Amino acid sequence: MAAGRARRLLGSLWIALLLGQPDPAGAAARSGSQSLLTGSLVRTFTPFYFLVEPMDILSVRGASVIMNCSAYCETSPKIEWKKDGTFLNLVSDDRRQLLPDGSLLINSVVHSKHNKPDEGYYQCVATVESLGTIVSRTAKLTVAGLPRFTSQPESSSVYKGNSAILNCEVNVDLAPFVRWEQDRQPLFLDDRVFKLPSGALIISNATDTDGGLYRCIIESGGTPKYSDEAELKILPDPEVPQNLMFVRQPSSLTKVTGQSAVFPCVAVGFPTPYIRWTRNEEELITEGYERFLLLAGGSLEISDVMEEDVGTYTCIADNGNETIEAQAELTVQVPPEFLKRPANIYAHESMDIVFECEVTGKPTPTVKWVKNGDMVIPSDYFKIVKEHNLQVLGLVKSDEGFYQCIAENDVGNAQAGAQLIILDLAPATTGPLPSAPRDVVATLVSTRFIRLTWRTPVSDPQGDNLTYSIFYTKEGINRERVENTSRPGETQVTIQNLMPETVYVFRVVAQNKHGPGESSVPLKVATQPEVQLPGPAPNIRAYASSPTSVSVTWETPLSGNGEIQNYKLYYMEKGQDTEQDVDVGGLSYTINGLKKYTEYSFRVVAYNKHGPGVSTQDVVVRTLSDVPSAPPQNLTLEVRNSKSIMLHWQPPPPGTHSGQITGYKIRYRKVSRKSDVTESIGGTQLFQLIEGLERGTEYSFRVAALTVNGTGPATDWVSAETFESDLDETRVPEVPSSLHVRPLVTSIVVSWTPPENQNIVVRGYAIGYGIGSPHAQTIKVDYKQRYYTIENLDPSSHYVITLKAFNNVGEGIPLYESAVTRPHSDTSEVDLFVINAPYTPVPDPSPMMPPVGVQASILSHDTIRITWADNSLPKNQKITDARYYTVRWKTNIPANTKYKTANATTLSYLVTGLKPNTLYEFSVMVTKGRRSSTWSMTAHGTTFELVPTSPPKDVTVVSKEGKPRTIIVNWQPPSEANGKITGYIIYYSTDVNAEIHDWVIEPVVGNRLTHQIQELTLDTPYYFKIQARNSKGMGPMSEAVQFRTPKAESSDKMPNDQASGSAGRGSRPVDVGPDYKPPLGGSNSPHGSPTSPLDSNMLLVIIVSVGVITIVIVVIVAVFCTRRTTSHQKKKRAACKSVNGSHKYKGNSKDVKPPDLWIHHERLELKPIDKSPDPNPIMTDTPIPRNSQDITPVDNSMDSNIHQRRNSYRGHESEDSMSTLAGRRGMRPKMMMPFDSQPPQQSVRNTPSTDTMPASSSQTCADHQDPESTTGSYLANAQEEDSAQNLPTAHVRPSHPLKSFAVPAVPPAGSTYDPALPSTPLLTQQASNHPVHSVKTASIGTLGRTRPPMPVVVPSAPDVQETTRMLEDSESNYEPDELTKEMAHLEGLMKDLNAITTA
């Protein structure tokens, strides 16, 4: 049987090994038994558990009780009950019966002094045949005893307004059944009159109605039991103060978590006392705290007690004259809770498994295990390991079933179970199996282990691919355990954890890829008897006898097993790995030479003739503290003003504290009077401000660390001099007044003079220098110093030197100088005056070398890792001495930030808490003892960006003057942008409570801080929020800002609205700059209404005249163009046409040299002033002129230089800016237009013709001829313009490749000025009555570039295609004389028109 079972087990193990599964025994021990399913006949776990378990119940005699229980399983379980561990026979019981759901009903509970058959512990047992049994938690049924009083109320009196207490103490079981009567009537309880859990009655703030006869009643199911009656008298307020006293003090309580605890506290006196509570000497705040309730009169109730409520509670009564206190302890107990429940396990026979179970509770729970409802008794094969876990060794089929971990302490119990399934093994695969291993022998036999070796089977003499399983058991025991070899081909194994002087039977089975083979012949081996060694020495104690010694004592082992020859005392510093020992002949020993204030562990081992015995447990003790053995480090002085100096230092080095540092002692004196020493003792902070010093006096300071034992050694004296007068340190110093450099071969002597403004504090000077850049090295010197020699420079090298004065606010403005060091051949003398100058630092005879290779690695938005190398260390860069490194860092934004420093003992440091998207500079210095290096070369690093963490601020909304439907939103950037702001999103809605996705969204590109929104509803409140974004995402939204639009529009606003409507949807207002002035001397009107006295008839005449003149010009130009066409000019025409395409051509400025014709007509040239900062076609908010309000007249302030004229076509960087050439007054143009008929704010503006393309600088045919002036190209889109405006368009080509002449149309009389803010109309109004039948738009080109359409009155305009063709044919055909004649004629016509408009 055993051999067959072994073969099946080995077959399973063999398949598991082939599939790379872990060892089955180990897997089972870890409950990860899924790997055992391979090659096994699988059965699934069966859910079997309790739905309801019985709970503790308090009952009274004669009552009925139900103990609830319900279990779940696929097969209906059988329910039974145990009382006090014995099964109840419910068949013949007439009072107790089993309900259908499994609950137990007890009718008419019986309870008397000598007969208590129903009181006890009940347990529900559920069984499923062929599966197993589980048991519930144990529930206690308590029956209240006979009613009796341990104390009864007594008559008393109380002053009005004070509190009274009436005792009625009963046994704890009956306390819930106590009620009170006043004058034989039921007493209703409230916040003022309440009952304690013990049954006593407290009446607070007594009134006259509280007087009367009181008694308490116990009603526990039988006849009520009444107490004696007691009279309570209410006395009037006494006229003299009464002593304060407690009539009921709080008593210590022990509660279970979840229960309520009441600390009674009743005090009386006059004046009426006020009660407050503290917990662990901290004020207990009851207001607003749900679990702590201050009852009337001052008692404290804690509901739902938690473990952290443990402590000492103090009741403090105070009436203004005196204060009294009373204390009580609260102890909290916790029922058992499972931290880890047992898990279901699959296993095979002969394996070892472990059920894990971790519990917690207070008091600490005890754990027992139950298998199928029966207690598991520990044995050689069932062991409790790691306090709570159950280990089963050498599984057999009968071990299958349900195992439960039951945890129990004084206040409760709990159970958790798991199922064990023993898998049946699948048959092995077909093929030759190995024969039995040969010559199995025990090569090493000890008391608790045996080593076996064997030879390979005959069937496989090489045996390289064979693995082996070793089965073993005690002789006469049917449980076999298995141990596997660790690798194929291994022919030995050591079996551990055996029993001394015990016979074991071993057999070995080999297995190959087909499965397990034959078993070897069983081998019987007896382990050696246990050597009689000493047991552990009892009562080991250790105590510190001095700061460097510990005394250890112990007693003789109880089981010495012979004479004790000596003891060995082992000790080890806590945290170390090396244990030391000392031989001891007696029962005590004192170890000297230990470290001060350090924890050590000690243990003792007794020796007899057989050797060392069992060691004792470790005992830990800390040596006594002592005064520090080293002074504080890095003492620095900072002169604050004329009367105070700030000291900074660092603690003594680790290991030298010799105890807990309790403070620092500072001693200081005047340098001139060394005997007069002042002491100041501070706390554990590492700085101290010494005030009350004399002006202009030098003081010396030293610092020593303190422990409870005294003062340690002090630092060396460090001196500093107070200022003569209090200087200003609210700003950085000004620039030094002079800087002189004197270059030598390998050094440069730097000299300077202080800033001229002597009223600002200067704490020192920072000298920066480097080849080509002054930022390679930085040296800081004292504020008194005026000279410094920069050493170790390269000969014949150009150095840049900077000098900055600094104070605590920051560094001032630098002063720059440059110098070239002399070559090696230069042996000129050094200026002795400079060398012997005072304050030149004397170099250390052996200075420390600064760290090199400082690098900053950015890890996140607030973390940078600094690494460096130290050339003074060995090649392996291993630090073996007491050196440390100081890392400093700062940012120059703002400029007055101070350095932050930190010390490190390794070659790297992680700097945290930095600001996002900020450039930091880092440098490192090394310190060893009293020697320090200079600061290393600086490394720079910029932290990563982070989403904005604050919203835009100062959000304001204002109405636009004269346009009540338009508002302007202004804001400031977020204070924590954490990166470059790439845009904003404006949300607005009429409902502030609407979901954010229901708000209207207005995107704003770039870093603009203003935006306008049009066509809002009148007399409507709007709410606005703004959100900033950067490359990392969106920041938080600002708070909603409310704005109500005006109630009605002004009467002169309607024509303007109609004009705006005629321009079509999406029209934008004109963008003017802050320097805008009304053209041609018009006066300002509040609403932008026209101030000219011209009536509509005169306006019509002007419009018609302008149209006629335009047609005449077009005809004249067309005639000349058709007469002068050449093939060369056609090529140029083709190049001009390509401007609207995607091709780019390079031209030569020599190809065409046009005549200078700007003398008379340059003032009419239109210039683009709009340039979008962002090429994004969706987010760009570029205004597109769609009506006459978008045109701006250009003044006569152009430069006559043709190259400058070309550059003047380039637009400004922002949409909010205004061309400096537009809107100025002072020079009257030669060609006059009837602008006086327009509103004074009218302007002419030229912008790109489509908002889907970025507004770039102008590029024309002529620009192609001059590569230097080429900046970009506009792409014309006449079709989009036509569809957008629904108006016919005449595209008029310029008559010359370098010039264009056009007459702006006169706008309607009612049009008003539209301020130049970027806008997005919410609703575009179409004017139905605007006369558009006689208006066409002309795209006026400048240098071949397509212009935005402008309304032009054209009585009979030629066809678009014809006009374009004529103009193209006439390109570049004018001779200078002809152009002069034509321009003279045109100027005469314009003078006539000007005379009409000014009449």
Side-chain angles (χ1 to χ4, degrees):
M1 288 292 293
R5 191 170 69 222
R7 282 197 182 92
R8 291 196 300 272
L9 173 60
L10 290 175
S12 171
L13 298 178
W14 167 76
I15 294 174
L17 289 171
L18 283 181
L19 296 177
Q21 300 292 338
D23 176 73
R30 295 187 298 270
S31 301
S33 52
Q34 291 301 321
S35 61
L36 298 175
L37 301 180
T38 305
S40 303
L41 301 178
V42 179
R43 301 191 344 253
T44 59
F45 296 112
T46 303
F48 187 19
Y49 53 88
F50 285 102
L51 296 171
V52 179
E53 296 186 73
M55 304 301 293
D56 296 346
I57 294 178
L58 172 64
S59 182
V60 295
R61 285 188 307 165
S64 295
V65 171
I66 293 180
M67 307 291 287
N68 293 312
C69 180
S70 177
Y72 170 79
C73 188
E74 296 172 354
T75 302
S76 180
K78 174 186 175 183
I79 303 295
E80 297 177 286
W81 282 87
K82 283 183 177 182
K83 177 182 180 292
D84 298 330
T86 304
F87 281 102
L88 294 175
N89 183 7
L90 302 178
V91 177
S92 59
D93 198 323
D94 56 347
R95 284 192 313 107
R96 291 180 283 206
Q97 65 184 81
L98 189 67
L99 298 181
D101 65 344
S103 299
L104 177 64
L105 171 63
I106 304 175
N107 290 305
S108 184
V109 171
V110 175
H111 191 79
S112 64
K113 184 175 182 180
H114 301 289
N115 184 25
K116 303 176 181 179
D118 295 331
E119 193 173 63
Y121 293 91
Y122 288 80
Q123 191 174 38
C124 178
V125 181
T127 304
V128 175
E129 289 297 331
S130 72
L131 185 63
T133 300
I134 57 175
V135 296
S136 72
R137 70 178 299 276
T138 302
K140 182 180 181 182
L141 173 60
T142 304
V143 182
L146 299 176
R148 64 181 183 275
F149 296 101
T150 56
S151 69
Q152 299 194 43
E154 298 178 356
S155 298
S156 60
S157 60
V158 61
Y159 289 109
K160 190 175 181 179
N162 268 326
S163 298
I165 184 166
L166 297 170
N167 290 321
C168 181
E169 305 292 340
V170 298
N171 47 332
V172 177
D173 298 339
L174 292 172
F177 306 103
V178 173
R179 67 178 181 86
W180 282 85
E181 288 183 351
Q182 179 186 9
D183 297 329
R184 303 292 177 95
Q185 296 297 320
L187 180 64
F188 296 100
L189 305 179
D190 53 23
D191 292 340
R192 191 179 63 85
V193 180
F194 60 94
K195 185 184 72 171
L196 294 177
S198 63
L201 182 70
I202 292 180
I203 302 173
S204 63
N205 192 19
T207 63
D208 293 336
T209 58
D210 294 326
L213 296 175
Y214 289 82
R215 66 177 180 178
C216 63
I217 305 101
I218 303 176
E219 294 178 329
S220 57
T223 304
K225 186 176 181 65
Y226 295 91
S227 71
D228 297 337
E229 283 190 324
E231 183 180 7
L232 178 64
K233 295 181 179 179
I234 309 300
L235 304 177
D237 290 341
E239 296 181 359
V240 295
Q242 301 292 320
N243 289 335
L244 194 59
M245 61 178 292
F246 285 114
V247 295
R248 185 64 176 265
Q249 296 187 25
S251 55
S252 296
L253 298 175
T254 300
K255 292 293 180 180
V256 180
T257 53
Q259 294 181 344
S260 295
V262 176
F263 285 113
C265 184
V266 181
V268 296
F270 187 78
T272 303
Y274 166 75
I275 302 292
R276 59 187 177 90
W277 288 84
T278 63
R279 180 179 65 184
N280 298 331
E281 299 182 355
E282 293 183 1
E283 196 74 24
L284 189 64
I285 301 175
T286 57
E287 293 183 5
Y289 205 90
E290 296 180 355
R291 294 196 309 110
F292 291 88
L293 179 63
L294 191 62
L295 303 175
S299 298
L300 177 66
E301 180 180 13
I302 307 173
S303 59
D304 190 18
V305 168
M306 303 173 69
E307 197 170 357
E308 55 262 32
D309 295 333
V310 171
T312 302
Y313 289 78
T314 305
C315 173
I316 303 173
D318 186 359
N319 66 353
N321 295 331
E322 57 180 322
T323 301
I324 56 176
E325 296 181 0
Q327 290 184 343
E329 297 285 337
L330 174 61
T331 303
V332 177
Q333 296 181 322
V334 183
E337 294 181 4
F338 286 99
L339 300 177
K340 189 171 188 179
R341 295 172 175 268
N344 295 333
I345 294 178
Y346 284 116
H348 292 301
E349 289 186 83
S350 300
M351 286 176 47
D352 301 342
I353 64 165
V354 174
F355 282 110
E356 294 184 339
C357 179
E358 292 185 22
V359 295
T360 183
K362 193 173 182 180
T364 302
T366 59
V367 170
K368 62 182 179 180
W369 284 86
V370 171
K371 177 204 168 190
N372 289 333
D374 296 327
M375 186 77 65
V376 174
I377 300 174
S379 64
D380 291 343
Y381 293 92
F382 287 87
K383 298 182 177 182
I384 304 298
V385 296
K386 294 184 179 179
E387 297 184 0
H388 301 149
N389 298 340
L390 174 65
Q391 183 182 42
V392 184
L393 305 177
L395 289 175
V396 295
K397 190 67 176 177
S398 60
D399 292 333
E400 194 172 72
F402 284 88
Y403 289 78
Q404 290 175 277
C405 173
I406 298 178
E408 183 176 12
N409 64 7
D410 294 344
V411 292
N413 64 90
Q415 62 84 23
Q419 185 180 5
L420 169 64
I421 291 181
I422 306 295
L423 294 174
D424 295 325
L425 302 174
T429 60
T430 59
L433 299 176
S435 58
R438 298 172 291 170
D439 302 335
V440 179
V441 294
T443 56
L444 183 61
V445 179
S446 181
T447 56
R448 295 183 180 273
F449 71 88
I450 291 177
R451 177 176 294 174
L452 297 178
T453 60
W454 57 90
R455 293 171 58 203
T456 56
V458 176
S459 61
D460 195 347
Q462 297 298 326
D464 293 338
N465 296 322
L466 296 181
T467 57
Y468 300 89
S469 295
I470 296 85
F471 296 86
Y472 64 99
T473 182
K474 287 183 183 180
E475 189 178 29
I477 302 297
N478 195 30
R479 286 182 178 269
E480 252 189 345
R481 301 180 63 189
V482 63
E483 185 81 23
N484 298 315
T485 54
S486 57
R487 61 181 181 272
E490 188 176 19
T491 57
Q492 69 173 13
V493 71
T494 300
I495 308 297
Q496 304 277 359
N497 301 320
L498 302 178
M499 298 297 295
E501 207 170 356
T502 305
V503 177
Y504 287 89
V505 180
F506 298 90
R507 59 189 185 88
V508 183
V509 176
Q511 49 197 335
N512 60 14
K513 62 181 180 180
H514 300 293
E518 297 181 9
S519 173
S520 67
V521 177
L523 172 69
K524 292 184 180 181
V525 182
T527 54
Q528 296 290 333
E530 187 80 82
V531 177
Q532 301 300 309
L533 296 174
N539 297 329
I540 179 174
R541 293 184 177 87
Y543 59 92
S545 52
S546 76
T548 59
S549 62
V550 171
S551 297
V552 186
T553 62
W554 58 91
E555 297 177 3
T556 304
L558 301 177
S559 57
N561 294 325
E563 182 184 357
I564 301 296
Q565 294 181 342
N566 71 312
Y567 298 90
K568 186 161 285 190
L569 174 62
Y570 295 88
Y571 63 97
M572 180 174 62
E573 181 183 344
K574 191 173 182 181
Q576 301 296 321
D577 299 328
T578 305
E579 195 173 40
Q580 299 175 276
D581 62 81
V582 59
D583 291 328
V584 182
L587 298 177
S588 64
Y589 190 79
T590 299
I591 301 176
N592 298 305
L594 303 178
K595 294 182 180 179
K596 299 177 181 179
Y597 199 66
T598 304
E599 283 190 342
Y600 287 87
S601 62
F602 300 87
R603 65 185 182 93
V604 174
V605 176
Y607 280 71
N608 63 9
K609 63 181 180 179
H610 299 292
V614 181
S615 172
T616 63
Q617 294 292 327
D618 287 357
V619 293
V620 178
V621 66
R622 184 188 292 272
T623 54
L624 299 179
S625 62
D626 197 2
V627 298
S629 57
Q633 307 177 87
N634 301 334
L635 173 61
T636 59
L637 306 180
E638 178 184 322
V639 181
R640 284 295 179 89
N641 50 46
S642 62
K643 294 185 179 180
S644 63
I645 295 178
M646 173 66 79
L647 283 71
H648 291 271
W649 63 88
Q650 291 175 332
T656 64
H657 293 194
S658 304
Q660 193 74 31
I661 299 293
T662 59
Y664 293 89
K665 179 184 290 185
I666 301 169
R667 304 179 69 192
Y668 61 95
R669 67 190 184 193
K670 294 180 183 178
V671 174
S672 58
R673 300 178 62 183
K674 296 186 177 181
S675 60
D676 188 8
V677 177
T678 304
E679 283 191 0
S680 172
I681 297 178
T684 56
Q685 74 272 9
L686 301 177
F687 59 89
Q688 182 72 38
L689 181 64
I690 305 297
E691 298 181 295
L693 305 178
E694 297 181 7
R695 297 174 182 269
T697 305
E698 187 174 6
Y699 287 86
S700 294
F701 298 84
R702 68 191 309 179
V703 180
L706 300 174
T707 62
V708 294
N709 304 87
T711 307
T715 63
D716 292 334
W717 290 100
V718 180
S719 300
E721 183 179 346
T722 56
F723 297 142
E724 287 288 348
S725 59
D726 289 330
L727 303 179
D728 180 15
E729 201 170 4
T730 61
R731 49 190 175 138
V732 298
E734 295 184 358
V735 63
S737 54
S738 69
L739 171 62
H740 302 282
V741 296
R742 176 181 172 83
L744 303 175
V745 178
T746 59
S747 62
I748 296 177
V749 179
V750 182
S751 60
W752 63 89
T753 54
E756 293 181 359
N757 188 351
Q758 298 291 320
N759 295 322
I760 304 176
V761 175
V762 176
R763 298 197 175 274
Y765 295 92
I767 304 170
Y769 65 94
I771 298 178
S773 170
H775 306 299
Q777 296 275 10
T778 301
I779 297 169
K780 290 194 173 181
V781 298
D782 189 74
Y783 71 97
K784 298 179 182 178
Q785 199 156 326
R786 297 293 182 266
Y787 304 93
Y788 187 78
T789 302
I790 305 174
E791 304 284 357
N792 302 320
L793 304 181
D794 296 331
S796 302
S797 300
H798 183 272
Y799 283 88
V800 180
I801 299 166
T802 181
L803 177 73
K804 293 179 284 188
F806 66 87
N807 57 19
N808 288 335
V809 178
E811 294 179 343
I813 302 173
L815 200 59
Y816 291 89
E817 273 290 352
S818 62
V820 178
T821 51
R822 299 178 183 178
H824 270 299
S825 58
D826 193 339
T827 58
S828 58
E829 293 296 325
V830 178
D831 192 335
L832 296 178
F833 171 77
V834 175
I835 286 186
N836 297 325
Y839 305 112
T840 299
V842 179
D844 194 307
S846 56
M848 297 287 290
M849 295 176 60
V852 296
V854 181
Q855 293 184 348
S857 303
I858 294 88
L859 302 183
S860 69
H861 66 274
D862 65 348
T863 305
I864 295 179
R865 180 181 295 279
I866 308 302
T867 58
W868 60 88
D870 190 345
N871 284 344
S872 62
L873 291 176
K875 289 184 178 180
N876 61 5
Q877 293 287 288
K878 186 174 182 180
I879 302 172
T880 57
D881 50 22
R883 72 179 62 200
Y884 67 92
Y885 300 89
T886 302
V887 182
R888 70 174 184 180
W889 65 93
K890 65 169 288 191
T891 177
N892 291 326
I893 305 175
N896 58 359
T897 53
K898 300 179 182 179
Y899 277 106
K900 293 185 178 180
T901 61
N903 289 339
T905 56
T906 61
L907 296 177
S908 67
Y909 185 75
L910 198 65
V911 183
T912 58
L914 304 178
K915 296 179 181 178
N917 192 46
T918 304
L919 174 64
Y920 285 87
E921 64 175 40
F922 303 87
S923 53
V924 187
M925 67 179 293
V926 59
T927 301
K928 181 180 178 183
R930 298 180 183 177
R931 298 164 51 212
S932 297
S933 71
T934 58
W935 289 104
S936 68
M937 295 180 65
T938 56
H940 294 81
T942 302
T943 50
F944 294 148
E945 288 192 1
L946 183 68
V947 295
T949 51
S950 66
K953 55 186 180 181
D954 301 338
V955 181
T956 59
V957 183
V958 296
S959 178
K960 188 171 183 180
E961 185 177 356
K963 296 180 81 64
R965 293 179 182 271
T966 302
I967 58 94
I968 300 172
V969 185
N970 303 299
W971 64 90
Q972 291 298 316
S975 56
E976 297 175 1
N978 298 336
K980 180 182 179 182
I981 296 298
T982 59
Y984 297 89
I985 292 183
I986 302 176
Y987 299 80
Y988 63 96
S989 171
T990 57
D991 182 8
V992 71
N993 297 318
E995 294 292 335
I996 196 63
H997 58 261
D998 294 331
W999 290 48
V1000 182
I1001 295 177
E1002 283 285 328
V1004 179
V1005 179
N1007 54 2
R1008 291 193 295 105
L1009 301 177
T1010 184
H1011 190 76
Q1012 86 172 14
I1013 300 175
Q1014 293 182 340
E1015 303 302 339
L1016 301 180
T1017 306
L1018 295 176
D1019 194 21
T1020 303
Y1022 285 88
Y1023 298 89
F1024 298 85
K1025 295 181 180 180
I1026 303 185
Q1027 190 178 25
R1029 73 170 184 268
N1030 60 17
S1031 63
K1032 291 297 183 181
M1034 308 299 300
M1037 291 187 187
S1038 64
E1039 294 293 328
V1041 175
Q1042 182 183 5
F1043 180 80
R1044 177 179 286 273
T1045 52
K1047 292 185 177 180
E1049 302 187 37
S1050 58
S1051 59
D1052 58 353
K1053 186 70 174 57
M1054 293 305 295
N1056 180 62
D1057 290 344
Q1058 294 168 359
S1060 299
S1062 67
R1065 297 182 63 88
S1067 63
R1068 301 279 181 164
V1070 181
D1071 189 2
V1072 296
D1075 298 331
Y1076 174 79
K1077 298 180 181 179
L1080 306 179
S1083 61
N1084 291 328
S1085 176
H1087 302 288
S1089 58
T1091 59
S1092 175
L1094 293 177
D1095 56 11
S1096 58
N1097 293 330
M1098 178 62 69
L1099 182 60
L1100 183 59
V1101 171
I1102 295 171
I1103 294 173
V1104 173
S1105 302
V1106 172
V1108 171
I1109 294 170
T1110 303
I1111 295 302
V1112 171
I1113 295 172
V1114 171
V1115 171
I1116 294 172
V1117 171
V1119 170
F1120 278 96
C1121 289
T1122 54
R1123 294 170 54 190
R1124 303 292 297 234
T1125 302
T1126 65
S1127 61
H1128 178 67
Q1129 291 152 355
K1130 289 180 180 179
K1131 293 180 181 179
K1132 291 185 178 180
R1133 182 174 67 248
C1136 292
K1137 291 180 181 179
S1138 68
V1139 174
N1140 291 337
S1142 60
H1143 302 286
K1144 296 183 179 179
Y1145 293 88
K1146 293 183 179 180
N1148 193 324
S1149 59
K1150 297 179 181 179
D1151 294 345
V1152 177
K1153 186 174 182 181
D1156 188 355
L1157 303 178
W1158 296 89
I1159 299 173
H1160 300 293
H1161 59 274
E1162 63 185 12
R1163 298 173 184 85
L1164 285 181
E1165 180 159 12
L1166 306 181
K1167 299 183 182 297
I1169 63 171
D1170 218 338
K1171 180 178 180 181
S1172 171
D1174 194 329
N1176 190 338
I1178 298 174
M1179 304 299 290
T1180 300
D1181 195 12
T1182 303
I1184 303 174
R1186 302 290 174 98
N1187 55 26
S1188 60
Q1189 296 181 4
D1190 295 337
I1191 311 302
T1192 305
V1194 181
D1195 73 353
N1196 56 358
S1197 60
M1198 289 185 179
D1199 193 290
S1200 60
N1201 182 278
I1202 223 171
H1203 185 70
Q1204 292 180 355
R1205 286 200 301 272
R1206 290 171 182 167
N1207 291 339
S1208 69
Y1209 291 121
R1210 302 187 178 117
H1212 285 265
E1213 290 297 323
S1214 170
E1215 293 177 1
D1216 296 332
S1217 62
M1218 176 66 184
S1219 171
T1220 58
L1221 301 179
R1224 296 181 182 174
R1225 291 191 300 172
M1227 295 183 68
R1228 194 175 183 86
K1230 295 292 182 65
M1231 299 177 66
M1232 300 301 296
M1233 291 293 295
F1235 289 141
D1236 289 343
S1237 63
Q1238 304 178 20
Q1241 292 90 347
Q1242 278 300 329
S1243 61
V1244 176
R1245 181 171 182 182
N1246 193 358
T1247 56
S1249 60
T1250 170
D1251 62 357
T1252 62
M1253 292 301 297
S1256 60
S1257 300
S1258 61
Q1259 178 174 340
T1260 66
C1261 297
D1263 291 333
H1264 288 309
Q1265 299 168 0
D1266 188 357
E1268 294 181 2
S1269 62
T1270 301
T1271 59
S1273 65
Y1274 285 109
L1275 301 182
N1277 196 332
Q1279 289 78 9
E1280 291 184 12
E1281 288 294 341
D1282 295 340
S1283 62
Q1285 291 187 264
N1286 298 319
L1287 294 173
T1289 305
H1291 291 270
V1292 183
R1293 286 287 181 179
S1295 58
H1296 191 276
L1298 288 179
K1299 300 289 173 279
S1300 68
F1301 308 100
V1303 182
V1306 179
S1311 63
T1312 60
Y1313 162 64
D1314 200 2
L1317 282 175
S1319 66
T1320 303
L1322 192 61
L1323 177 64
T1324 303
Q1325 296 179 342
Q1326 286 293 123
S1328 59
N1329 59 348
H1330 186 65
V1332 297
H1333 61 277
S1334 62
V1335 178
K1336 293 187 179 181
T1337 60
S1339 179
I1340 304 175
T1342 298
L1343 305 184
R1345 182 184 59 197
T1346 303
R1347 291 288 186 174
M1350 296 194 316
V1352 179
V1353 179
V1354 185
S1356 57
D1359 185 74
V1360 173
Q1361 289 80 4
E1362 288 182 336
T1363 306
T1364 306
R1365 193 180 304 111
M1366 286 189 304
L1367 293 179
E1368 289 175 349
D1369 292 340
S1370 63
E1371 272 187 292
S1372 304
N1373 291 331
Y1374 285 157
E1375 293 295 330
D1377 294 340
E1378 293 172 341
L1379 286 173
T1380 302
K1381 292 178 182 178
E1382 292 299 327
M1383 288 308 303
H1385 178 66
L1386 181 59
E1387 184 178 0
L1389 290 176
M1390 294 306 299
K1391 287 182 178 180
D1392 295 339
L1393 181 60
N1394 187 39
I1396 296 173
T1397 58
T1398 56

